[in-house]
Amino acid sequence: MDINNLTAKMSLEDGASPAKSRKREGCLKWEEFFMANAVLAAQRSKDPECQVGACIVNSAKRIVGVGYNGMPNGCSDDIFEWKKDLKQLYVCHAEMNAILNKNVIDVKGCDLYVTRFPCNECAKVIIQSGISTIYFLEDKHPERQMYVAAKKMFVAAGVAVRQFTTDRKENIEIRLRISPKPQPEPQSESQPESQAGSTA
Ligand SMILES: Nc1ccn([C@H]2C[C@H](O)[C@@H](COP(=O)(O)O)O2)c(=O)n1
Ligand SMILES: [Zn+2]
């Protein structure tokens, strides 16, 4: 059977068979999927006050870099300062880590999904890396000099910056579902206490 007949036969079958299962509706949109990856990465951050995640995506919708804010390799989270006025001396920002963690030669023309607006230092690295569009979730301190400077550089460099929005916020919130502990079977009066005890 040649390809045309096969195609015609398949489309006829599809149309004629109401029982054929249809695709699932309501799945994550691509951009929700990418921002959810950034939100998930932020869960790895040990920063007690501010957890940030970043996810880099290429034009083929493939994730090519993920990062979160953390101490440099070899600099123990238990030794280096997480205090607010000292951590900035040491912490690698999520965007920088996502770029450094890239699994491709370069990230030119890629999109960056990040849970916080990039600072001026990350803006330099983002621009130099060739990332073309940034989607950010929160811009908590737009008045801060570092974020004003970042915006100026993005405009000058032609990097598009967009606030990420979705009408389905639950699609990017990571809720780690801890399955409830199994409840012990109610013991009837006559049965002896289980010897296994609670292993939950
Ligand atoms: N776009 C950003 C903003 C902040 N961070 C990290 C750096 C620190 O660990 C933490 C707090 O930053 P701050 O609000 O004190 O500037 O968040 C990041 O990785 N990316
Ligand atoms: Zn930064």
Side-chain angles (χ1 to χ4, degrees), residues 47 50 52 69 84 91 93-95 116-118 144 147:
D47 186 323
C50 179
V52 185
N69 53 320
K84 192 145 183 63
V91 171
H93 286 198
E95 305 88 317
R116 282 275 299 273
F117 195 91
R144 280 188 187 172
Y147 299 120

Side-chain angles (χ1 to χ4, degrees), residues 33-106:
F33 174 66
F34 299 137
M35 187 57 86
N37 270 274
V39 171
L40 182 61
Q43 308 299 310
R44 278 287 303 151
S45 172
K46 287 44 159 219
D47 186 323
E49 278 140 20
C50 179
Q51 303 83 40
V52 185
C55 173
I56 302 173
V57 184
N58 69 13
S59 54
K61 292 188 172 51
R62 294 295 177 270
I63 293 174
V64 295
V66 174
Y68 56 89
N69 53 320
M71 295 298 176
N73 294 336
C75 302
S76 165
D77 293 306
D78 301 315
I79 296 170
F80 281 73
E81 289 288 351
W82 283 107
K83 281 194 194 114
K84 192 145 183 63
D85 55 352
L86 284 176
K87 67 184 169 186
Q88 68 266 17
L89 298 173
Y90 309 111
V91 171
C92 298
H93 286 198
E95 305 88 317
M96 187 186 302
N97 277 330
I99 292 168
L100 292 170
N101 293 337
K102 68 185 184 320
N103 57 24
V104 287
I105 299 291
D106 65 58

Side-chain angles (χ1 to χ4, degrees), residues 167-182:
D167 53 357
R168 304 184 302 176
K169 200 161 169 27
E170 68 279 3
N171 280 349
I172 59 164
E173 288 168 343
I174 305 297
R175 286 185 298 279
L176 301 180
R177 293 186 183 82
I178 311 294
S179 52
K181 285 189 177 180

Side-chain angles (χ1 to χ4, degrees), residues 3 18 29 40 54 92 94 112 122 138 140-141 162 181 183:
I3 188 67
K29 296 175 185 167
L40 182 61
C92 298
L112 170 70
C122 289
E138 293 180 317
K140 284 194 169 174
H141 306 289
R162 299 191 185 120
K181 285 189 177 180
Q183 297 304 319

